Amino acid sequence: MSRKGALLRGAAALAAAAALIGIAASPAAAKPHRPHHDPGPVVIAHRGASGYLPEHTLEAYQLAVELGADVVEPDLVLTKDGELIARHEPVLDETTDVEDHPEFADRKTTKTIDGKPVTGFFADDFTLAEIKTLRAEERIPDIRPQSAAHDGEFQLVTYDEILDWVATLDEPVITYPEMKHPSYYEDKGMSIEESLADLLDERGLDKRRSPVWIQSFEYESLLAVDELVDNRIGLNIDGQGEIPNATLNEYARTLDTISLNKNRIFPRDADGYLQEPTDIVERAHRRGLDVHVWTFRAENTFLPADFRSSSDPAARGDYLAEFELFYDLGVDAVFSDYPDLAVEAREECRA
C-alpha cells in the first residue's frame, strides 16, 4: 500500500470510530455538531486569492469570489486614527511599497510584538490617508512571481470598504476577519475588539446569523469581543500536539470554532513527512465545535514531503492529495491561498 493510501486508511478508520462513538460519548454539556448545509467543507479564501494576487487587496478578494470561495478572510490591523485595514501584520514592510516613500523614512522604528522586538514601518504610525498612498506588494515574490507582477497596482483597503463591496454581490459571501495581535494594541491603549464591534454595530452585522465570523489567536480577546457582539467566534491554534479534552470542553463552552494548523490534525516528522492523523476533529465535533484548518497551498515548499513533485520550491505538488486527507476527516472549512483548487478538490471528493 502506498503512503498516501495508508494515510487515507488511517483517516477512514478515525471517521469510522467517530461514527461508532457517536453522541453517547459526548460530554454532558456538548452542543450537537451541525455541518455546513452544503456537502463538503466551506472554502475560505486565505487573505483573498493570495496565490494569484497580492494579499489583502480588494482585487484579491474579488478574484477569490469569482473562483468560488464561500468566505473571504481579511486580517485586520489598526491605523493611527483607529481605522481597521486589511493587513496580515501591523508591520507594512513585506507587503507594501512603504520603503519607496522617502516622506515616511522617519517612521521606521522598533516595537515589541508578542514579546519580541520588531523593526519596521507600523500601520499604527500612519493615518488612513497616508496608508492610502501606499500600494500592495507580493509577500513571497520568489515563490509567486505571477502575483509579484502586480506589485504597485492595488491600494490598501479598509474593512469598511470590504463590507461595502460584499454588500454589492449577487450571492452571499461571509467575511471572516481576524483581529491581529490584540495585546499589542491593548498595550498602546487601543482596542481592536471595540473598533471591530463598533463597525459591526454601525452596519447591523453584530448578530448571531450575520455573515461575519470573527477569529483571533488570542483567547482572551475573543472572550472580550464576545461581550460586545453576537457573531460566531473561533480560536486559531498553531503548532502541533495534543489538545486535552479539558481544554476542548472549555472551548466548547465559549467558542463556536477551533481553527487549526494542519499539523494539529496530520503531524509531520522532522523530514516533513506526514504521520498518522490525530483524533482532534472527531473530539471537537463531539463537543459541538466546528473545525477549520489552515493553510492549504499548492507549492512544494508548503506541502508535506509526501506530496512534493520536485525539489523546486515554487513548483506545484500533489495538492489534491493533501486536500483529500482532510476532507475525508470531515473538517468543516479550509483556508486556501488558491480557493479554486479547494473547490476543485471538494468537487472531486463529492464525485
Side-chain angles (χ1 to χ4, degrees), residues 69-115:
D70 307 299
V71 180
V72 294
E73 184 225 16
D75 295 328
L76 301 181
V77 303
L78 286 168
T79 65
K80 184 177 182 179
D81 45 351
E83 297 289 339
L84 291 163
I85 63 167
R87 288 290 94 191
H88 180 56
E89 297 290 344
V91 184
L92 301 170
D93 304 47
E94 290 188 345
T95 61
T96 78
D97 63 353
V98 65
E99 292 185 326
D100 297 333
H101 288 253
E103 68 273 25
F104 299 139
D106 63 349
R107 306 285 178 92
K108 192 166 190 175
T109 187
T110 299
K111 301 186 182 186
T112 301
I113 300 179
D114 296 338

Side-chain angles (χ1 to χ4, degrees), residues 135-207:
R135 294 296 179 266
E137 293 187 347
E138 169 56 42
R139 181 175 52 87
I140 44 175
D142 292 343
I143 300 297
R144 293 178 176 164
Q146 73 278 9
S147 174
H150 297 278
D151 283 359
E153 294 181 16
F154 308 135
Q155 278 193 342
L156 277 60
V157 64
T158 67
Y159 185 41
D160 206 20
E161 291 169 327
I162 295 169
L163 292 174
D164 282 343
W165 160 69
V166 168
T168 70
L169 299 176
D170 294 331
E171 297 293 331
V173 170
I174 294 166
T175 63
Y176 198 175
E178 180 188 334
M179 301 179 296
K180 300 298 294 191
H181 303 289
S183 295
Y184 166 77
Y185 294 109
E186 183 179 7
D187 291 343
K188 295 174 62 64
M190 306 172 79
S191 172
I192 196 168
E193 298 91 348
E194 291 181 6
S195 294
L196 178 57
D198 288 347
L199 177 58
L200 295 179
D201 175 59
E202 290 170 9
R203 301 186 69 113
L205 291 173
D206 57 343
K207 309 298 189 293

Side-chain angles (χ1 to χ4, degrees), residues 70-342:
D70 307 299
V71 180
V72 294
E73 184 225 16
D75 295 328
L76 301 181
V77 303
L78 286 168
T79 65
K80 184 177 182 179
D81 45 351
E83 297 289 339
L84 291 163
I85 63 167
R87 288 290 94 191
H88 180 56
E89 297 290 344
V91 184
L92 301 170
D93 304 47
E94 290 188 345
T95 61
T96 78
D97 63 353
V98 65
E99 292 185 326
D100 297 333
H101 288 253
E103 68 273 25
F104 299 139
D106 63 349
R107 306 285 178 92
K108 192 166 190 175
T109 187
T110 299
K111 301 186 182 186
T112 301
I113 300 179
D114 296 338
K116 299 178 181 178
V118 178
T119 299
F121 296 89
F122 290 77
D124 46 281
D125 290 330
F126 293 75
T127 65
L128 178 59
E130 291 172 329
I131 289 287
K132 284 294 187 178
T133 68
L134 307 180
R135 294 296 179 266
E137 293 187 347
E138 169 56 42
R139 181 175 52 87
I140 44 175
D142 292 343
I143 300 297
R144 293 178 176 164
Q146 73 278 9
S147 174
H150 297 278
D151 283 359
E153 294 181 16
F154 308 135
Q155 278 193 342
L156 277 60
V157 64
T158 67
Y159 185 41
D160 206 20
E161 291 169 327
I162 295 169
L163 292 174
D164 282 343
W165 160 69
V166 168
T168 70
L169 299 176
D170 294 331
E171 297 293 331
V173 170
I174 294 166
T175 63
Y176 198 175
E178 180 188 334
M179 301 179 296
K180 300 298 294 191
H181 303 289
S183 295
Y184 166 77
Y185 294 109
E186 183 179 7
D187 291 343
K188 295 174 62 64
M190 306 172 79
S191 172
I192 196 168
E193 298 91 348
E194 291 181 6
S195 294
L196 178 57
D198 288 347
L199 177 58
L200 295 179
D201 175 59
E202 290 170 9
R203 301 186 69 113
L205 291 173
D206 57 343
K207 309 298 189 293
R208 179 69 178 173
R209 301 183 71 85
S210 296
V212 176
W213 305 340
I214 299 172
Q215 57 177 321
S216 176
F217 279 90
E218 296 189 24
Y219 182 54
E220 294 299 323
S221 176
L222 289 171
L223 298 184
V225 82
D226 193 43
E227 293 292 321
L228 304 172
V229 299
D230 293 326
N231 303 71
R232 295 178 62 83
I233 59 173
L235 178 66
N236 299 331
I237 304 174
D238 203 354
Q240 73 181 39
E242 179 78 4
I243 301 177
N245 284 333
T247 301
L248 287 179
N249 290 343
E250 179 182 355
Y251 292 161
R253 290 191 297 269
T254 54
L255 305 172
D256 300 289
T257 301
I258 54 171
S259 184
L260 304 177
N261 183 312
K262 291 182 296 187
N263 294 347
R264 291 279 181 176
I265 299 174
F266 275 93
R268 301 188 192 188
D269 66 19
D271 296 317
Y273 286 93
L274 293 173
Q275 299 177 298
E276 291 297 313
T278 69
D279 63 351
I280 183 60
V281 176
E282 178 266 321
R283 289 192 294 123
H285 281 171
R286 290 210 321 262
R287 290 161 172 80
L289 288 164
D290 282 357
V291 178
H292 300 176
V293 189
W294 46 274
T295 301
F296 290 84
R297 300 174 167 111
E299 297 92 351
N300 284 322
T301 191
F302 301 115
L303 287 169
D306 314 66
F307 301 139
R308 295 170 193 160
S309 61
S310 68
S311 60
D312 180 357
R316 288 190 177 186
D318 190 358
Y319 57 85
L320 288 175
E322 185 183 38
F323 277 118
E324 184 179 359
L325 290 179
F326 288 85
Y327 286 10
D328 282 353
L329 282 179
V331 301
D332 300 285
V334 294
F335 290 79
S336 180
D337 291 2
Y338 295 95
D340 54 328
L341 304 186

